Amino acid sequence: MVFPEYRPRRLRKNSAFRALIRETELSPAQFVYPLFVIPGKNKREEISSMPGVFRVTVDQLEKEGKDCLELGVNSVILFGIPETKDGVGSGAHAKNGIIQTAIRELKRKVPKLLVITDVCLCEYTDHGHCGCLIGDTVDNDSTLEILAKTALSHAEAGADMVAPSDMMDGRVAEIRAVLDENNFESIPIMSYSVKYASAFYGPFRDAADCTPQFGDRRSYQMDPANSREALREATLDVDEGADILIVKPAVAYLDIISRLRDEFDLPIAAYHVSGEYAMIKAAAQNGWIDGDKVMEETLLSIKRAGADIIITYFAKDMARILKNR
Ligand code: PBG
């Protein structure tokens, strides 16, 4: 059928028609809101490169969690900024570490909230790398044990799901084994399977205070030029026992989300990262774009590409708009 028999505009005539044939919907229940937790009391500091996003102390978490739930955003992912750092990231698995304390607080005060934890060492090491060093090299195998210990400490504190973001080889299997040995076989792993060495993480590194003190992360995070390698990474994580696969960043990697969607039947999450958020905010603040509309279009594009879950700093803003519609 061709024009004039077929006229696509017939079904775009009014908002009821448009809604009737809409292929993709955003759902706040599938957003994950990142929370940054800092030491101290009664503090809420706005992150300068991420307007509208705050670093908060543990006592503020109840309010943060309840705000999310009220908007239908049922899940948060926690990042911790510890008081002190060392060479091996001991703070990452300390029983009373910043994240462990934050998890207990949230699970006690807002039990319905799904608490996901980022499992990585970069916020806890004084050199800012995601693993332990031997000389100037981030050592894979000695890091695995610490990552597994970290994931276990999160589960013991009450986390609902762990999300390893370090990009060491074999970490999903190691974490799965240690969780299972300790009777946490029901805690799922949402793996950052496909995480690129991206400049879009810039604002996050300010927020989490985790810029590498030397070199960069290209010996463990993926080369932005590669797409087949993403399938190999995802296959490994599936075989090692991952329950959900993350692609990160999101918008510059929509092709990767789409490829994973075609190749795997596990749920896929996309992380719309700090730099992606900051660019939209900055342009909107300058009056160059309509921030709300660009936000929605961006999140829709991530869904359309095939993501089920979106981890995004926009979670609450978008949920609020959907709620008031
Ligand atoms: C920790 C981690 C990073 C992000 C999430 N977990 C930073 C990095 O790998 O450098 C980035 C998130 C964002 O930019 O919003 N490894």
Side-chain angles (χ1 to χ4, degrees), residues 34 36 50 79 118-123 128 130 165-166 192 195-196 198 200-205 208 210 212 217 220-221 248 271-276 313:
F36 296 97
M50 300 174 74
F79 297 96
D118 189 85
V119 176
C120 194
L121 303 186
C122 64
E123 295 118 85
C130 302
S165 74
D166 50 282
Y192 289 81
K195 178 171 175 181
Y196 287 93
S198 169
F200 286 103
Y201 308 148
F204 176 94
R205 291 181 188 172
C210 66
R217 303 211 204 289
Y220 41 104
Q221 298 180 348
K248 177 182 175 190
Y271 199 141
H272 185 246
V273 302
S274 57
E276 302 182 270
Y313 305 97

Side-chain angles (χ1 to χ4, degrees), residues 234-252:
T235 302
L236 282 170
D237 282 6
V238 172
D239 292 347
E240 290 179 28
D243 298 280
I244 299 176
L245 308 174
I246 306 181
V247 175
K248 177 182 175 190
V251 175

Side-chain angles (χ1 to χ4, degrees), residues 20-318:
L20 184 70
I21 63 157
R22 188 157 297 137
E23 299 173 27
T24 313
E25 299 272 1
L26 292 170
S27 158
Q30 297 190 304
F31 294 158
V32 178
Y33 186 61
L35 287 174
F36 296 97
V37 192
I38 51 172
K41 272 215 157 56
N42 210 16
K43 276 194 255 176
R44 231 174 105 77
E45 310 170 350
E46 190 165 27
I47 300 155
S48 58
S49 50
M50 300 174 74
V53 180
F54 294 80
R55 315 199 311 175
V56 303
T57 47
V58 169
D59 52 282
Q60 305 289 306
L61 288 173
E62 178 178 1
K63 184 180 179 320
E64 293 287 337
K66 287 184 172 162
D67 284 353
C68 285
L69 276 190
E70 215 156 280
L71 290 163
V73 177
N74 304 327
S75 308
V76 296
I77 183 164
L78 300 183
F79 297 96
I81 296 95
E83 197 100 53
T84 56
K85 306 186 185 225
D86 63 21
V88 291
S90 317
H93 52 80
K95 210 177 173 81
N96 293 314
I98 184 86
I99 282 300
Q100 292 75 7
T101 311
I103 298 165
R104 284 192 293 266
E105 172 78 3
L106 275 172
K107 289 315 294 186
R108 197 166 49 227
K109 302 276 177 61
V110 202
K112 278 203 195 123
L113 192 71
L114 206 72
V115 175
I116 307 168
T117 57
D118 189 85
V119 176
C120 194
L121 303 186
C122 64
E123 295 118 85
Y124 303 90
T125 53
D126 49 17
H127 45 75
H129 279 290
C130 302
C132 311
L133 301 180
I134 295 188
D136 277 356
T137 305
V138 176
D139 186 58
N140 195 85
D141 295 9
S142 58
T143 300
L144 296 181
E145 194 187 326
I146 306 177
L147 290 167
K149 236 170 142 173
T150 301
L152 177 61
S153 75
H154 294 174
E156 283 169 343
D160 295 294
M161 178 153 73
V162 293
S165 74
D166 50 282
M167 288 300 277
M168 297 302 121
D169 296 333
R171 90 274 207 211
V172 173
E174 184 85 11
I175 290 172
R176 186 69 274 158
V178 169
L179 289 178
D180 289 358
E181 274 160 30
N182 290 276
N183 302 320
F184 288 110
E185 62 285 324
S186 67
I187 299 292
I189 300 176
M190 176 163 84
S191 176
Y192 289 81
S193 303
V194 183
K195 178 171 175 181
Y196 287 93
S198 169
F200 286 103
Y201 308 148
F204 176 94
R205 291 181 188 172
D206 297 337
D209 189 17
C210 66
T211 307
Q213 297 304 300
F214 66 89
D216 54 41
R217 303 211 204 289
R218 285 183 295 176
S219 76
Y220 41 104
Q221 298 180 348
M222 275 183 56
D223 183 342
N226 293 354
S227 138
R228 293 189 301 268
E229 189 184 351
L231 300 183
R232 294 201 293 276
E233 278 285 4
T235 302
L236 282 170
D237 282 6
V238 172
D239 292 347
E240 290 179 28
D243 298 280
I244 299 176
L245 308 174
I246 306 181
V247 175
K248 177 182 175 190
V251 175
Y253 300 89
L254 292 178
D255 58 323
I256 307 297
I257 297 172
S258 169
R259 269 194 101 173
L260 256 67
R261 176 72 297 151
D262 290 344
E263 300 285 338
F264 298 92
D265 53 11
L266 287 182
I268 291 175
Y271 199 141
H272 185 246
V273 302
S274 57
E276 302 182 270
Y277 172 86
M279 291 194 307
I280 295 175
K281 280 287 178 183
Q285 283 183 348
N286 274 300
W288 295 340
I289 58 171
D290 179 327
D292 284 351
K293 289 199 172 132
V294 170
M295 163 179 73
E296 182 165 8
E297 193 174 327
T298 300
L299 296 175
L300 268 178
S301 76
I302 297 169
K303 274 257 138 153
R304 200 186 58 237
D308 305 292
I309 302 162
I310 309 178
I311 307 166
T312 172
Y313 305 97
F314 280 128
K316 289 194 293 178
D317 294 344
M318 191 65 237

